[in-house]
Amino acid sequence: MSARLFALLLVLLPLAAHADITAGNGWVWRTRAGQSGSSAGLTLHSEQPATLLAVYAPGVGRIELHHSGVDSNGRRTMRRLPSLPLPAGKTLVLREDGIHLMLLGLAHPLSRGKLPLVLTLQDAGGGRHTLVTLLDVRVPQ
């Protein structure tokens, strides 16, 4: 992890203490040269109602929230979500066959290690919070 990135994490971590939101068990699929995107998941828990507004990772052009499913004709579908509500007291598991993260515009392949992820959340009172977590780079199944 670069010194600049580590400094960013040190600045942002105290902000997460103000929110009753946790993020963990994060993963992202490894990519190879020429791949510009990957999918990722993680577990989110909020003690109070909140909304996930945005996600950022260094070296990633943009990160979108997507929902995968099957339509009434049995076809797989995927649609972009503008935000993700986090109900109070509930745990949400983001995974490929449901709600997940799409990392697009990768600056370099994701080969191993951990990728820092910065989540921007809004609480029920309108306050914004930043939460930092790490994604493990994994081999696709």
Side-chain angles (χ1 to χ4, degrees):
M1 183 180 308
S2 73
R4 184 174 168 190
L5 181 57
F6 185 70
L8 173 67
L9 291 173
L10 288 178
V11 168
L12 294 176
L13 282 174
L15 297 175
H18 299 294
D20 294 327
I21 302 167
T22 58
N25 302 318
W27 57 269
V28 61
W29 290 138
R30 178 187 73 189
T31 61
R32 301 207 183 270
Q35 282 183 265
S36 62
S38 185
S39 61
L42 72 152
T43 301
L44 297 168
H45 180 83
S46 181
E47 289 300 320
Q48 305 299 323
T51 303
L52 176 60
L53 299 175
V55 185
Y56 166 81
V60 179
R62 72 183 188 279
I63 300 176
E64 297 178 354
L65 284 161
H66 283 198
H67 181 269
S68 292
V70 178
D71 69 14
S72 60
N73 295 318
R75 292 180 297 227
R76 292 187 53 82
T77 63
M78 186 171 8
R79 65 182 170 92
R80 185 171 182 226
L81 303 174
S83 61
L84 180 63
L86 304 176
K90 301 287 185 188
T91 298
L92 295 178
V93 179
L94 279 61
R95 57 187 199 205
E96 279 190 309
D97 61 347
I99 298 170
H100 60 278
L101 301 173
M102 289 298 300
L103 286 69
L104 305 166
L106 298 175
H108 51 79
L110 303 172
S111 59
R112 58 179 146 65
K114 298 191 181 292
L115 178 67
L117 194 68
V118 180
L119 308 171
T120 301
L121 302 125
Q122 183 171 326
D123 62 33
R128 293 211 175 187
H129 306 277
T130 303
L131 179 61
V132 178
T133 190
L134 296 172
L135 300 178
D136 290 321
V137 178
R138 297 182 181 169
V139 176
Q141 300 175 358

